Coordinates of all heavy atoms in Angstrom, one line a residue:
Chain A
Y102 N 2.4 -238.8 -171.9 CA 3.0 -238.7 -170.6 C 3.9 -239.8 -170.3 O 3.9 -240.9 -170.9 CB 1.9 -238.6 -169.5 CG 1.1 -237.3 -169.6 CD1 -0.2 -237.3 -170.2 CD2 1.6 -236.2 -169.0 CE1 -0.9 -236.1 -170.2 CE2 0.9 -235.0 -169.1 CZ -0.3 -235.0 -169.7 OH -1.0 -233.8 -169.7
D104 N 4.2 -241.9 -167.6 CA 3.5 -243.2 -167.4 C 2.5 -243.3 -168.5 O 1.7 -242.4 -168.8 CB 2.8 -243.2 -166.0 CG 2.1 -241.9 -165.7 OD1 2.4 -240.9 -166.4 OD2 1.2 -241.8 -164.9
A106 N -0.2 -244.6 -169.9 CA -1.7 -244.4 -170.1 C -2.2 -245.4 -171.2 O -2.9 -245.0 -172.1 CB -2.0 -243.0 -170.5
L107 N -1.7 -246.6 -171.1 CA -2.3 -247.6 -172.0 C -2.9 -248.7 -171.1 O -2.6 -248.9 -170.0 CB -1.2 -248.3 -172.8 CG -0.4 -247.4 -173.8 CD1 0.7 -248.2 -174.4 CD2 -1.4 -246.9 -174.9
C108 N -3.9 -249.4 -171.7 CA -4.5 -250.5 -170.9 C -3.9 -251.8 -171.3 O -4.0 -252.3 -172.4 CB -6.0 -250.6 -171.2 SG -6.9 -249.1 -170.5
N110 N -4.6 -254.9 -170.7 CA -5.4 -256.0 -171.1 C -6.1 -255.9 -172.5 O -6.7 -256.8 -173.0 CB -6.5 -256.2 -170.1 CG -7.4 -255.0 -169.9 OD1 -7.0 -253.9 -170.1 ND2 -8.7 -255.2 -169.6
I111 N -6.0 -254.7 -173.1 CA -6.6 -254.5 -174.4 C -5.6 -254.5 -175.5 O -4.4 -254.2 -175.2 CB -7.3 -253.1 -174.4 CG1 -8.4 -253.1 -173.3 CG2 -8.0 -252.8 -175.7 CD1 -9.2 -251.9 -173.2
G115 N -7.3 -251.7 -179.9 CA -8.2 -251.1 -179.0 C -7.6 -250.0 -178.2 O -8.3 -249.0 -177.9
L119 N -8.8 -246.1 -178.1 CA -9.5 -246.0 -176.9 C -10.1 -244.6 -176.7 O -9.4 -243.6 -176.8 CB -8.6 -246.3 -175.7 CG -9.3 -246.5 -174.3 CD1 -10.2 -247.6 -174.4 CD2 -8.2 -246.7 -173.3
G120 N -11.4 -244.5 -176.4 CA -12.0 -243.3 -176.2 C -12.5 -242.6 -177.4 O -13.1 -241.5 -177.4
E122 N -13.5 -244.7 -180.4 CA -13.7 -245.9 -181.2 C -14.5 -245.5 -182.5 O -15.4 -244.7 -182.4 CB -14.5 -247.0 -180.4 CG -13.7 -247.6 -179.3 CD -13.9 -246.8 -178.0 OE1 -14.6 -245.8 -178.0 OE2 -13.3 -247.2 -177.0
K124 N -17.3 -246.5 -185.2 CA -18.5 -247.3 -185.1 C -19.1 -247.4 -186.4 O -19.0 -246.5 -187.3 CB -19.4 -246.7 -184.0 CG -19.1 -247.1 -182.6 CD -19.9 -246.5 -181.6 CE -19.2 -245.4 -180.9 NZ -19.9 -244.7 -179.9
R125 N -19.8 -248.5 -186.6 CA -20.6 -248.7 -187.8 C -21.9 -249.2 -187.4 O -22.0 -250.2 -186.7 CB -19.9 -249.8 -188.6 CG -20.4 -250.0 -190.0 CD -19.3 -250.8 -190.8 NE -19.8 -251.5 -191.9 CZ -20.2 -252.7 -191.9 NH1 -20.0 -253.5 -190.8 NH2 -20.7 -253.3 -192.9
V128 N -22.1 -250.1 -183.7 CA -21.3 -251.2 -183.3 C -19.8 -250.9 -183.6 O -19.5 -250.3 -184.6 CB -21.7 -252.6 -184.0 CG1 -20.9 -253.7 -183.5 CG2 -23.2 -252.8 -183.7
L129 N -18.9 -251.4 -182.7 CA -17.5 -251.1 -182.9 C -17.1 -251.6 -184.3 O -17.4 -252.8 -184.7 CB -16.7 -251.8 -181.9 CG -16.8 -251.3 -180.5 CD1 -15.8 -252.0 -179.6 CD2 -16.5 -249.8 -180.4
D130 N -16.4 -250.8 -185.1 CA -16.0 -251.2 -186.4 C -14.6 -251.7 -186.3 O -13.6 -251.0 -186.6 CB -16.1 -250.1 -187.4 CG -15.9 -250.5 -188.8 OD1 -15.5 -251.7 -189.0 OD2 -16.1 -249.7 -189.7
E131 N -14.4 -253.0 -185.9 CA -13.1 -253.5 -185.6 C -12.2 -253.6 -186.9 O -11.0 -253.4 -186.9 CB -13.2 -254.9 -185.0 CG -13.8 -255.0 -183.7 CD -12.9 -254.5 -182.6 OE1 -11.7 -254.2 -182.9 OE2 -13.3 -254.4 -181.4
V132 N -12.9 -253.9 -188.0 CA -12.2 -254.0 -189.3 C -11.5 -252.7 -189.7 O -10.3 -252.7 -190.0 CB -13.1 -254.5 -190.4 CG1 -12.4 -254.6 -191.7 CG2 -13.7 -255.9 -190.0
E135 N -8.8 -251.7 -187.3 CA -7.5 -252.5 -187.5 C -6.8 -252.1 -188.8 O -5.6 -251.9 -188.8 CB -7.9 -254.0 -187.6 CG -6.6 -254.9 -187.7 CD -6.9 -256.4 -187.5 OE1 -7.9 -256.7 -186.9 OE2 -6.1 -257.2 -188.0
R136 N -7.6 -251.8 -189.8 CA -7.0 -251.3 -191.1 C -6.2 -250.0 -190.8 O -5.1 -249.9 -191.2 CB -8.0 -251.2 -192.1 CG -7.5 -251.1 -193.6 CD -8.6 -250.7 -194.5 NE -9.2 -249.4 -194.3 CZ -8.7 -248.3 -194.6 NH1 -7.5 -248.2 -195.1 NH2 -9.3 -247.1 -194.3
R139 N -3.0 -250.5 -188.8 CA -1.9 -251.0 -189.6 C -1.3 -249.9 -190.4 O -0.1 -249.8 -190.5 CB -2.4 -252.1 -190.5 CG -2.7 -253.4 -189.7 CD -3.4 -254.4 -190.6 NE -3.4 -255.6 -189.9 CZ -2.4 -256.5 -189.9 NH1 -1.3 -256.2 -190.7 NH2 -2.4 -257.6 -189.2
L142 N 0.7 -247.5 -188.2 CA 1.9 -248.1 -187.7 C 2.9 -248.2 -188.9 O 4.1 -248.1 -188.7 CB 1.7 -249.5 -187.1 CG 0.8 -249.4 -185.8 CD1 0.6 -250.8 -185.2 CD2 1.4 -248.5 -184.8
E143 N 2.4 -248.5 -190.1 CA 3.2 -248.6 -191.3 C 3.8 -247.3 -191.6 O 5.0 -247.2 -191.9 CB 2.4 -249.2 -192.4 CG 3.2 -249.9 -193.4 CD 2.3 -250.6 -194.4 OE1 1.3 -251.3 -193.9 OE2 2.5 -250.6 -195.6
I147 N 6.5 -248.5 -187.5 CA 6.6 -249.1 -186.2 C 6.4 -250.6 -186.4 O 5.5 -251.1 -187.1 CB 5.5 -248.6 -185.3 CG1 5.8 -247.1 -185.0 CG2 5.4 -249.4 -184.0 CD1 4.7 -246.5 -184.2
R148 N 7.3 -251.4 -185.8 CA 7.2 -252.8 -185.9 C 6.8 -253.4 -184.5 O 7.5 -253.2 -183.5 CB 8.6 -253.4 -186.2 CG 9.2 -253.1 -187.5 CD 8.4 -253.8 -188.6 NE 9.2 -253.7 -189.8 CZ 10.1 -254.6 -190.1 NH1 10.4 -255.6 -189.3 NH2 10.8 -254.5 -191.3
I149 N 5.6 -254.0 -184.5 CA 5.2 -254.8 -183.3 C 4.7 -256.1 -183.7 O 4.4 -256.3 -184.9 CB 4.1 -254.0 -182.5 CG1 3.0 -253.6 -183.5 CG2 4.6 -252.8 -181.8 CD1 1.8 -253.1 -182.7
P150 N 4.8 -257.1 -182.8 CA 4.5 -258.5 -183.2 C 3.1 -258.6 -183.9 O 3.0 -259.3 -184.9 CB 4.4 -259.3 -181.9 CG 5.3 -258.5 -181.0 CD 5.1 -257.0 -181.4
S151 N 2.1 -258.0 -183.4 CA 0.8 -258.1 -184.0 C -0.1 -257.0 -183.4 O 0.1 -256.6 -182.3 CB 0.1 -259.4 -183.7 OG -1.3 -259.4 -183.8
I154 N -2.5 -258.2 -180.3 CA -2.1 -258.8 -179.0 C -2.2 -257.8 -178.0 O -2.1 -256.6 -178.2 CB -0.7 -259.4 -179.1 CG1 0.4 -258.3 -179.4 CG2 -0.6 -260.6 -180.0 CD1 1.8 -258.8 -179.2
P155 N -2.5 -258.2 -176.7 CA -2.6 -257.2 -175.6 C -1.3 -256.5 -175.4 O -0.2 -257.0 -175.6 CB -3.0 -258.1 -174.4 CG -3.2 -259.4 -174.9 CD -2.6 -259.6 -176.3
A157 N 0.1 -255.9 -172.8 CA 0.9 -256.6 -171.8 C 2.0 -257.4 -172.4 O 3.1 -257.6 -171.8 CB 0.0 -257.5 -170.9
S158 N 1.8 -257.8 -173.7 CA 2.8 -258.7 -174.3 C 3.9 -257.9 -175.0 O 4.9 -258.5 -175.4 CB 2.1 -259.5 -175.4 OG 0.9 -260.1 -175.0
R171 N -0.5 -243.5 -180.8 CA -1.8 -243.2 -180.3 C -2.1 -241.7 -180.4 O -3.1 -241.2 -180.8 CB -2.0 -243.7 -178.9 CG -3.4 -243.5 -178.3 CD -3.3 -244.2 -177.0 NE -4.0 -243.4 -176.0 CZ -5.4 -243.2 -176.0 NH1 -6.1 -243.9 -176.8 NH2 -5.9 -242.4 -175.1
E192 N 18.4 -250.7 -177.5 CA 17.7 -250.8 -178.8 C 16.3 -250.1 -178.8 O 15.9 -249.5 -179.7 CB 17.6 -252.3 -179.1 CG 16.6 -252.5 -180.3 CD 17.0 -253.6 -181.2 OE1 17.8 -254.4 -180.8 OE2 16.5 -253.7 -182.3
Chain B
D15 N 1.2 -261.5 -189.7 CA 0.5 -260.5 -188.9 C 1.5 -259.3 -188.5 O 1.5 -258.9 -187.4 CB 0.1 -261.2 -187.6 CG -1.2 -260.5 -187.1 OD1 -1.6 -259.5 -187.7 OD2 -1.8 -261.1 -186.2
A16 N 2.2 -258.9 -189.5 CA 3.2 -257.8 -189.2 C 2.9 -256.6 -190.2 O 2.9 -256.8 -191.4 CB 4.6 -258.3 -189.5
P17 N 2.5 -255.5 -189.6 CA 2.0 -254.4 -190.4 C 3.0 -253.9 -191.4 O 2.6 -253.7 -192.6 CB 1.8 -253.3 -189.4 CG 2.4 -253.7 -188.1 CD 2.5 -255.2 -188.2
A18 N 4.3 -253.8 -191.1 CA 5.2 -253.2 -192.0 C 5.6 -254.2 -193.1 O 5.7 -253.9 -194.2 CB 6.5 -252.7 -191.3
G21 N 3.1 -254.8 -196.3 CA 3.0 -254.0 -197.4 C 4.2 -254.0 -198.3 O 4.1 -253.8 -199.5
V25 N 11.2 -255.9 -197.5 CA 11.7 -255.8 -196.2 C 11.7 -257.2 -195.5 O 10.7 -257.9 -195.6 CB 10.8 -254.8 -195.3 CG1 11.2 -254.8 -193.9 CG2 10.8 -253.5 -195.9
A26 N 12.8 -257.5 -195.0 CA 12.9 -258.9 -194.4 C 12.0 -258.8 -193.1 O 11.9 -257.8 -192.4 CB 14.3 -259.2 -194.0
D28 N 11.0 -259.3 -189.5 CA 11.7 -259.4 -188.2 C 11.5 -260.7 -187.5 O 10.4 -261.1 -187.4 CB 11.2 -258.2 -187.3 CG 12.0 -258.0 -186.0 OD1 12.5 -259.1 -185.5 OD2 12.2 -256.9 -185.6
R30 N 11.5 -261.7 -184.7 CA 10.7 -261.7 -183.4 C 9.2 -261.5 -183.6 O 8.5 -261.7 -182.7 CB 11.2 -260.5 -182.5 CG 12.6 -260.7 -182.0 CD 13.2 -259.4 -181.4 NE 13.2 -258.4 -182.5 CZ 13.6 -257.2 -182.3 NH1 13.9 -256.8 -181.1 NH2 13.5 -256.3 -183.3
L31 N 8.8 -261.2 -184.8 CA 7.4 -261.0 -185.0 C 6.7 -262.3 -185.0 O 7.3 -263.3 -185.4 CB 7.2 -260.3 -186.4 CG 7.8 -258.9 -186.5 CD1 7.4 -258.3 -187.9 CD2 7.4 -258.0 -185.4
L32 N 5.5 -262.3 -184.6 CA 4.7 -263.5 -184.6 C 4.2 -263.7 -186.0 O 3.4 -262.9 -186.5 CB 3.4 -263.4 -183.7 CG 3.7 -263.2 -182.2 CD1 2.3 -263.1 -181.5 CD2 4.5 -264.3 -181.6
R232 N -15.2 -259.0 -195.0 CA -14.9 -257.5 -194.8 C -13.4 -257.4 -194.5 O -12.8 -256.5 -195.0 CB -15.7 -256.9 -193.6 CG -17.0 -256.4 -194.0 CD -17.5 -255.4 -193.0 NE -16.8 -254.1 -193.1 CZ -16.6 -253.3 -192.1 NH1 -17.0 -253.7 -190.9 NH2 -15.9 -252.2 -192.2
R233 N -12.9 -258.3 -193.7 CA -11.5 -258.3 -193.3 C -10.6 -258.5 -194.6 O -9.7 -257.8 -194.8 CB -11.1 -259.3 -192.3 CG -11.8 -259.1 -191.0 CD -11.5 -260.1 -190.0 NE -10.1 -260.0 -189.5 CZ -9.8 -259.2 -188.5 NH1 -10.7 -258.5 -187.9 NH2 -8.5 -259.1 -188.2
A236 N -10.6 -255.5 -196.7 CA -9.9 -254.4 -196.2 C -8.4 -254.7 -196.2 O -7.5 -253.9 -195.8 CB -10.3 -254.1 -194.7
I238 N -6.7 -257.0 -194.4 CA -6.1 -257.4 -193.1 C -6.3 -258.9 -192.8 O -7.2 -259.5 -193.4 CB -6.7 -256.5 -191.9 CG1 -8.2 -256.7 -191.8 CG2 -6.3 -255.1 -192.1 CD1 -8.8 -255.9 -190.7
P239 N -5.5 -259.5 -192.0 CA -5.5 -260.9 -191.8 C -6.9 -261.4 -191.4 O -7.6 -260.8 -190.6 CB -4.5 -261.2 -190.7 CG -3.7 -260.0 -190.7 CD -4.5 -258.8 -191.1
F286 N -22.3 -259.5 -176.6 CA -22.3 -258.5 -177.7 C -22.0 -257.1 -177.1 O -21.1 -256.4 -177.6 CB -23.7 -258.4 -178.4 CG -23.8 -257.4 -179.5 CD1 -23.3 -257.6 -180.7 CD2 -24.3 -256.2 -179.2 CE1 -23.4 -256.7 -181.7 CE2 -24.4 -255.2 -180.2 CZ -23.9 -255.5 -181.4
R289 N -18.2 -256.9 -176.0 CA -17.2 -257.0 -177.0 C -17.4 -256.2 -178.2 O -16.4 -256.0 -179.0 CB -16.9 -258.5 -177.3 CG -16.4 -259.2 -176.1 CD -15.8 -260.6 -176.5 NE -16.7 -261.3 -177.4 CZ -16.3 -261.8 -178.6 NH1 -15.1 -261.5 -179.0 NH2 -17.2 -262.4 -179.3
R290 N -18.6 -255.7 -178.5 CA -18.8 -255.1 -179.8 C -19.3 -253.6 -179.6 O -19.6 -253.0 -180.6 CB -19.9 -255.9 -180.6 CG -19.4 -257.2 -181.0 CD -18.7 -257.2 -182.3 NE -18.1 -258.5 -182.6 CZ -16.8 -258.7 -182.5 NH1 -16.0 -257.8 -182.0 NH2 -16.3 -259.9 -182.8
T291 N -19.5 -253.1 -178.4 CA -19.9 -251.7 -178.3 C -18.9 -250.9 -177.5 O -18.0 -251.5 -176.8 CB -21.2 -251.6 -177.5 OG1 -21.0 -252.1 -176.1 CG2 -22.3 -252.5 -178.1
S292 N -18.9 -249.6 -177.6 CA -17.9 -248.8 -177.0 C -18.1 -248.8 -175.5 O -17.2 -248.7 -174.7 CB -17.9 -247.4 -177.5 OG -19.2 -246.8 -177.4
R295 N -16.2 -251.7 -174.3 CA -14.8 -251.4 -174.4 C -14.3 -250.6 -173.2 O -13.3 -250.7 -172.6 CB -14.5 -250.7 -175.7 CG -13.1 -250.3 -176.0 CD -12.1 -251.5 -176.0 NE -12.4 -252.6 -176.9 CZ -12.3 -252.6 -178.2 NH1 -11.8 -251.6 -178.8 NH2 -12.6 -253.7 -178.9
F298 N -13.8 -252.8 -170.1 CA -12.5 -253.5 -170.2 C -11.4 -252.5 -169.9 O -10.4 -252.8 -169.2 CB -12.3 -254.1 -171.5 CG -12.9 -255.5 -171.7 CD1 -14.2 -255.7 -172.3 CD2 -12.3 -256.6 -171.1 CE1 -14.8 -256.9 -172.4 CE2 -12.9 -257.9 -171.2 CZ -14.1 -258.0 -171.8
A299 N -11.5 -251.3 -170.4 CA -10.5 -250.3 -170.2 C -10.3 -250.0 -168.8 O -9.2 -249.9 -168.2 CB -10.8 -249.0 -171.0
G301 N -11.0 -251.9 -166.3 CA -10.4 -253.1 -165.7 C -8.9 -253.1 -165.9 O -8.2 -253.7 -165.2
G302 N -8.5 -252.5 -167.0 CA -7.0 -252.5 -167.3 C -6.3 -251.4 -166.6 O -5.3 -251.6 -165.9
S303 N -6.7 -250.2 -166.8 CA -6.1 -249.0 -166.2 C -7.1 -247.9 -166.0 O -7.5 -247.4 -167.0 CB -4.9 -248.6 -167.0 OG -4.5 -247.3 -166.6
A306 N -5.5 -244.6 -167.5 CA -5.5 -244.5 -168.9 C -6.9 -244.3 -169.4 O -7.1 -243.5 -170.4 CB -5.0 -245.9 -169.5
R309 N -7.8 -240.6 -169.0 CA -7.1 -239.7 -169.9 C -7.7 -239.9 -171.3 O -7.6 -239.0 -172.2 CB -5.6 -240.1 -170.0 CG -4.9 -239.6 -168.8 CD -3.4 -239.7 -169.0 NE -2.7 -239.5 -167.7 CZ -1.5 -240.0 -167.5 NH1 -0.9 -240.6 -168.4 NH2 -1.0 -239.8 -166.3
A310 N -8.3 -241.1 -171.6 CA -8.9 -241.3 -172.9 C -10.3 -240.7 -173.0 O -11.0 -240.8 -174.0 CB -9.0 -242.8 -173.2
I312 N -12.9 -241.2 -170.9 CA -14.0 -242.1 -170.4 C -14.5 -241.5 -169.1 O -13.7 -241.2 -168.2 CB -13.5 -243.5 -170.3 CG1 -13.2 -244.1 -171.6 CG2 -14.6 -244.4 -169.6 CD1 -12.5 -245.4 -171.6
G370 N -10.5 -256.9 -166.0 CA -10.1 -256.7 -167.4 C -10.0 -258.0 -168.2 O -9.6 -258.0 -169.4
G427 N 5.8 -263.1 -171.0 CA 5.6 -261.7 -171.4 C 4.1 -261.5 -171.8 O 3.9 -260.6 -172.7
R428 N 3.2 -262.2 -171.3 CA 1.8 -261.9 -171.7 C 0.9 -261.7 -170.5 O -0.3 -262.0 -170.6 CB 1.3 -263.1 -172.5 CG 1.9 -263.3 -173.8 CD 1.2 -264.4 -174.5 NE -0.1 -264.1 -175.0 CZ -0.4 -263.6 -176.1 NH1 0.5 -263.4 -177.0 NH2 -1.6 -263.4 -176.5
A429 N 1.4 -261.2 -169.4 CA 0.5 -261.1 -168.2 C -0.2 -259.8 -168.2 O 0.3 -258.8 -168.7 CB 1.4 -261.2 -166.9

Side-chain angles (χ1 to χ4, degrees):
Chain A
Y102 290 101
D104 45 342
L107 296 173
C108 291
N110 58 328
I111 299 181
L119 189 63
E122 293 88 1
K124 277 175 256 180
R125 190 162 157 263
V128 178
L129 293 184
D130 190 352
E131 294 286 354
V132 173
E135 183 167 337
R136 195 186 63 75
R139 287 171 167 275
L142 296 181
E143 206 170 315
I147 293 173
R148 296 286 197 87
I149 49 172
S151 158
I154 58 170
S158 314
R171 184 175 137 75
E192 168 145 15
Chain B
D15 213 352
V25 178
D28 189 323
R30 288 165 304 177
L31 302 183
L32 298 180
R232 271 200 76 210
R233 297 178 71 85
I238 56 180
F286 178 83
R289 297 196 308 126
R290 294 271 173 260
T291 65
S292 57
R295 181 57 54 78
F298 276 98
S303 163
R309 287 191 195 157
I312 293 171
R428 288 183 75 95

